[in-house]
Amino acid sequence: MVDSKTPTVVALIPARAGSKRVPGKNIRRLKGHPLIAYTIAAATQSQVFSAVIVSTDSEEVADIARYYSAEVPFLRPPEYATDKSPDIEWIDYTLRHLSNLGRDFDCFSILRPTSPCRQPQTIQRAWQEFLAQADQVDSLRAVEKCQQHPGKMWVLKGNLMKPLLEQNTFELGNSQVNHNLQPPNLQPPNLGQKATLREQPPTPQPSTPQPSTPHTPWHSTPYQALPEVYVQNASLEIAWSKVVLKEYTIAGKVIMPFITHDHEGLDINDLKDWWYLEYLIAQGEAQLPVVSQKPM
């Protein structure tokens, strides 16, 4: 529950009307409910937020969001609702408009409807992790271990190609690693120590086993021998409101990871993702948050 000693946080759920790859995606039915209903349910049931607000340019989406107990105090201007509109535009607009209405929040969390498997417990876990380091970081962002490693990616040069990571050395986090040797498997710093993230860089851990030859490039190295790399997913972000209002950024400079598990970070981008999620649900491998309302 929110109390006077805890920073206030608002859930911001973006749900513009347009979607080219899955038309009407945010309100498309999944197991009887519009997709957005599952994110609203998870946010509400987490009991983390002082308010759960949907940002949309659509009256239809607004009506559906209100039915499922979210607030839509105003519509998003069309210029902030195109398929190329950066998040900072609508978030800055929303926080400032809320402030003009006398509603200020210390923090905000972006919860995208396209990650419907995010549970109330997922949000609670992320919020507690953020609070534990809140005085040391600007934001938290959900990540998962990448399946397509950048060490095996290529860029095309005419009718030839070169590795994306072709430098002899490049910067990986806070350490210089040799492109032709096995880099260390970096671990995050011990955040329980007095030194903060701003003061103390991560300490490299002992290297994992070397590739078969010391000059094996990453594109020819087994996946298991490559350094662990994480990719962001769309399920969850938390940040101090001041990073938007004072710095015009949604993440700030010091970002901590929130590692999602199982299907918490599953993101629906196209119909293939939608069909895959329906299959996972049918097989009992993925679960959606419980929606208390009857289907609209």
Side-chain angles (χ1 to χ4, degrees):
M1 294 294 290
V2 177
D3 60 49
S4 59
K5 297 181 181 179
T6 303
T8 56
V9 56
V10 58
L12 300 180
I13 302 175
R16 67 183 185 87
S19 177
K20 293 181 178 179
R21 289 179 288 185
V22 183
K25 176 171 58 177
N26 290 318
I27 56 176
R28 182 183 173 118
R29 299 279 168 162
L30 178 67
K31 300 296 289 184
H33 294 285
L35 183 65
I36 195 173
Y38 299 103
T39 291
I40 295 173
T44 303
Q45 294 166 24
S46 73
Q47 296 187 306
V48 162
F49 303 108
S50 299
V52 176
I53 293 177
V54 169
S55 171
T56 183
D57 58 324
S58 164
E59 288 286 4
E60 180 184 10
V61 174
D63 289 342
I64 291 172
R66 293 185 183 110
Y67 174 83
Y68 285 99
S69 301
E71 294 184 62
V72 188
F74 45 82
L75 293 183
R76 189 194 304 188
E79 62 267 29
Y80 299 151
T82 72
D83 57 356
K84 295 183 179 179
S85 297
D87 287 330
I88 186 61
E89 291 183 346
W90 70 263
I91 294 173
D92 179 74
Y93 173 84
T94 301
L95 292 179
R96 291 185 188 279
H97 203 140
L98 288 170
S99 181
N100 291 338
L101 297 174
R103 306 181 69 183
D104 293 296
F105 303 92
D106 300 315
C107 305
F108 66 92
S109 178
I110 307 172
L111 303 174
R112 304 180 196 276
T114 51
S115 293
C117 295
R118 175 207 315 101
Q119 299 292 325
Q121 296 83 358
T122 311
I123 298 170
Q124 292 169 350
R125 193 173 82 247
W127 181 234
Q128 290 305 312
E129 290 185 19
F130 178 79
L131 288 179
Q133 305 300 329
D135 61 340
Q136 304 176 34
V137 302
D138 294 324
S139 67
L140 168 150
R141 179 167 296 207
V143 296
E144 59 190 54
K145 191 174 180 181
C146 75
Q147 298 302 312
Q148 299 293 329
H149 199 285
K152 293 182 176 289
M153 294 181 180
W154 300 78
V155 291
L156 302 185
K157 302 287 186 179
N159 60 349
L160 300 176
M161 64 182 187
K162 292 185 178 181
L164 175 66
L165 305 178
E166 62 178 336
Q167 300 93 335
N168 288 329
T169 62
F170 73 99
E171 189 174 338
L172 179 65
N174 289 324
S175 299
Q176 287 284 333
V177 295
N178 191 318
H179 173 232
N180 292 322
L181 297 177
Q182 173 60 34
N185 181 10
L186 298 181
Q187 300 295 328
N190 183 354
L191 300 182
Q193 297 176 351
K194 291 183 178 179
T196 68
L197 282 175
R198 299 179 191 272
E199 298 168 347
Q200 178 179 313
T203 301
Q205 300 299 309
S207 298
T208 51
Q210 300 288 322
S212 55
T213 133
H215 298 292
T216 302
W218 280 12
H219 58 77
S220 298
T221 298
Y223 180 91
Q224 293 79 3
L226 291 169
E228 289 187 0
V229 176
Y230 288 80
V231 60
Q232 67 185 43
N233 60 51
S235 66
L236 189 148
E237 298 171 54
I238 301 173
W240 290 100
S241 297
K242 62 186 178 184
V243 303
V244 171
L245 302 177
K246 294 182 179 181
E247 303 174 21
Y248 201 66
T249 167
I250 65 172
K253 297 178 181 178
V254 183
I255 308 168
M256 65 178 290
F258 174 68
I259 300 175
T260 54
H261 305 304
D262 301 320
H263 301 295
E264 289 177 327
L266 190 150
D267 186 36
I268 297 175
N269 287 307
D270 52 33
L271 284 174
K272 180 177 63 177
D273 297 330
W274 191 285
W275 298 330
Y276 178 58
L277 175 57
E278 288 183 323
Y279 169 79
L280 291 174
I281 294 170
Q283 296 299 311
E285 296 181 26
Q287 289 78 40
L288 297 168
V290 175
V291 177
S292 58
Q293 291 87 350
K294 294 181 179 179
M296 187 177 182

